[in-house]
Amino acid sequence: MGTIIQLFSRNNQRGFEALLAPHVEYLYRLAYRFTGQRADAEDLVQDLLVKLYPRRAELEHIEQLRPWLTRTLYHHFIDQVRRSERNPLHNALDIVPELDGGVGADPMSAGATESGVLQRQIATALAKLNPDQRVVVSLHDMEGYTLQELQAMLDTPIGTLKSRLHRARAALRETLRMEPLSPPERYTGERTSS
Amino acid sequence: MTMNCTDTKALFDDLLDGELPLPQTEAVQRHLTTCAACREVLDREQGFRTVLKAQEVPPPSPGFAVRALANAQRKATAPRRRAFVAGFGSAVAAVLVLWLGVALFPHGASNNGAIPTVTLALAQPQMVRIVFTAPQDFPDATLTILLPPHTALKGYPGKQEVVWRSSLYKGRNMLTLPIEADQKPGGNLIAKIHYGTDTKTFRLRLKTQPLQQSMNRSVAV
């Protein structure tokens, strides 16, 4: 009997893995765009997979699994952010490590290439967006989904998506000082004092 | 239809998104043929989107996909942690004293969101102090420490996961961990605080360097 149960369990696991293995890297990429941190992205995907495991029979009957997974990841991300914001632990500050004897935290190594700097600036700007804005910028401007696809995928009206995109881009431009509606001297090529 | 600069620029988002109806697209294009300033703005906006699209995603940690799928079943069917925690009652008291006893120690600056790093000497236990700054009291929280491979917590031989029940108090809470690395650690130390239904995860990158270098650095600081 125990062997039969083990076999059943192993088959379940194999079925789950076969179904989701082609999508894990994709989910991680989206999760990274949502969270901006590798470790947080891995946690988000891991949590999602844990939640999906009991629903493996349902997954087998979903025809378009990738869009469904994208929507599920999105909801899971938003739920997680809202839940953590409600919990006072959310405001606990980061840890500060020290070594006995006075050796402190190492500074981050700076990959000081221009593109690296720009990438970090964008990452910082993205982190300042609210979660819904970050998701729509990630999926539309980075992953290339159309607004029509996102409307169906996220079950959100196009008007709402457009509004989020518009505000998100404005916030990003502001943070990156790339505001296209800035004073006229920028258009004529004159440098502003800085 | 004649458009001024303000009207034109207001349509750039829709134009680049392919959402602008044909008559308006043509009106925008007519304006652009005579307005260098708006062309420049449009070019900049296109450049902005190109940069966004090129934003890199670092690869996940090695073996992540396989590990995550395997963990899904294990974690989905695992008994709840509370029962496991109860078995560590004796350890709780001992560490609680240490934790609260050093709570007033000063500490350094915030790590600004990056994973903080400490460098350990090889094969030599070192006290790593971790300061948790809490905005309020968190009574009866659970603290989990997950050690990376090739490291050990003195007093807990063979255990890569140690769990304590304790309380965090408003302000600084310091945890001191005697950690020894026998070779280069295979990942990050993870500290998780469970409170109520939520969990906050912290990561600490452990690096190693030869004993002599480590001692020199300590002296220099």
Side-chain angles (χ1 to χ4, degrees):
Chain A
M1 184 65 174
T3 308
I4 292 173
I5 291 172
Q6 280 175 5
L7 195 63
F8 180 71
S9 172
R10 205 157 43 232
N11 284 340
N12 268 339
Q13 174 67 7
R14 281 182 188 154
F16 180 74
E17 287 179 5
L19 206 56
L20 288 175
H23 305 287
V24 174
E25 299 269 345
Y26 165 78
L27 289 171
Y28 163 80
R29 192 174 74 236
L30 291 190
Y32 182 86
R33 296 208 189 280
F34 294 171
T35 63
Q37 297 279 344
R38 184 171 88 164
D40 290 344
E42 290 187 354
D43 280 355
L44 187 67
V45 174
Q46 180 69 82
D47 286 352
L48 180 69
L49 293 176
V50 171
K51 281 186 183 298
L52 291 180
Y53 185 79
R55 300 172 66 183
R56 54 198 178 278
E58 180 191 342
L59 297 180
E60 288 173 9
H61 296 100
I62 295 171
E63 288 184 11
Q64 297 287 325
L65 193 53
R66 185 155 288 198
W68 186 90
L69 288 169
T70 305
R71 179 168 56 245
T72 309
L73 183 74
Y74 159 66
H75 287 303
H76 187 57
F77 168 63
I78 296 293
D79 285 350
Q80 196 179 69
V81 170
R82 291 187 180 145
R83 196 169 57 241
S84 68
E85 282 174 351
R86 281 198 299 271
N87 192 308
L89 190 58
H90 172 72
N91 295 318
L93 298 183
D94 289 341
I95 59 171
V96 181
E98 294 175 348
L99 263 187
D100 215 21
V103 181
D106 289 351
M108 290 292 292
S109 61
T113 63
E114 195 175 331
S115 69
V117 170
L118 184 58
Q119 294 253 335
R120 281 199 299 280
Q121 285 175 337
I122 290 175
T124 303
L126 285 166
K128 291 179 179 171
L129 299 179
N130 74 39
D132 280 313
Q133 290 173 342
R134 208 150 65 228
V135 165
V136 76
V137 166
S138 298
L139 294 175
H140 184 274
D141 288 355
M142 296 172 157
E143 291 292 321
Y145 286 106
T146 66
L147 288 169
Q148 282 73 23
E149 287 171 326
L150 292 182
Q151 180 184 27
M153 195 183 284
L154 305 182
D155 197 20
T156 305
I158 280 200
T160 305
L161 293 171
K162 278 188 179 183
S163 168
R164 286 178 188 165
L165 264 180
H166 185 74
R167 288 179 184 165
R169 288 167 181 157
L172 287 172
R173 286 187 207 108
E174 179 64 28
T175 306
L176 297 168
R177 302 176 198 277
M178 294 173 70
E179 175 55 69
L181 303 181
S182 52
E185 56 266 39
R186 285 190 181 230
Y187 307 146
T188 56
E190 293 172 22
R191 293 185 65 84
T192 52
S193 59
S194 60
Chain B
M1 187 193 303
T2 307
M3 299 177 72
N4 62 27
C5 291
T6 304
D7 295 338
T8 301
K9 283 183 283 193
L11 296 176
F12 281 171
D13 263 359
D14 279 352
L15 178 72
L16 293 173
D17 290 343
E19 294 284 322
L20 200 61
L22 187 60
Q24 286 173 291
T25 301
E26 289 173 348
V28 168
Q29 284 169 344
R30 275 196 301 276
H31 178 85
L32 290 173
T33 58
T34 60
C35 181
C38 281
R39 282 202 303 276
E40 188 183 328
V41 174
L42 184 62
D43 284 349
R44 199 182 310 148
E45 182 61 30
Q46 281 175 318
F48 170 57
R49 292 185 186 213
T50 302
V51 167
L52 267 183
K53 211 168 194 120
Q55 187 73 354
E56 290 173 5
V57 174
S61 56
F64 168 69
V66 171
R67 194 169 60 249
L69 286 164
N71 283 344
Q73 179 186 25
R74 187 176 60 80
K75 291 188 175 179
T77 55
R80 293 185 67 81
R81 184 175 297 276
R82 185 169 289 269
F84 176 69
V85 171
F88 282 80
S90 57
V92 172
V95 174
L96 187 61
V97 171
L98 175 62
W99 188 347
L100 298 180
V102 295
L104 297 178
F105 279 30
H107 66 85
S110 165
N111 61 65
N112 295 323
I115 297 180
T117 305
V118 292
T119 304
L120 300 167
L122 273 177
Q124 178 188 354
Q126 284 183 275
M127 306 302 282
V128 177
R129 296 194 299 265
I130 300 177
V131 178
F132 299 92
T133 306
Q136 64 173 68
D137 290 350
F138 294 106
D140 201 25
T142 302
L143 172 68
T144 303
I145 297 291
L146 296 161
L147 293 165
H150 312 306
T151 60
L153 193 59
K154 199 174 176 188
Y156 297 87
K159 288 195 183 303
Q160 296 306 113
E161 176 174 331
V162 183
V163 183
W164 296 292
R165 292 289 287 278
S166 182
S167 295
L168 284 171
Y169 295 95
K170 183 177 180 179
R172 297 164 186 169
N173 300 262
M174 184 178 284
L175 175 67
T176 302
L177 300 171
I179 296 177
E180 181 171 357
D182 59 6
Q183 53 181 290
K184 184 181 175 185
N188 296 334
L189 180 151
I190 297 173
K192 292 186 175 186
I193 299 174
H194 307 267
Y195 179 72
T197 58
D198 210 353
T199 301
K200 178 103 177 177
T201 302
F202 305 92
R203 288 175 175 77
L204 179 61
R205 183 173 293 123
L206 298 179
K207 291 167 61 179
T208 52
Q209 64 181 343
L211 179 59
Q212 191 57 43
Q213 281 184 36
S214 174
M215 289 177 69
N216 288 342
R217 276 190 68 179
S218 296
V219 170
V221 168

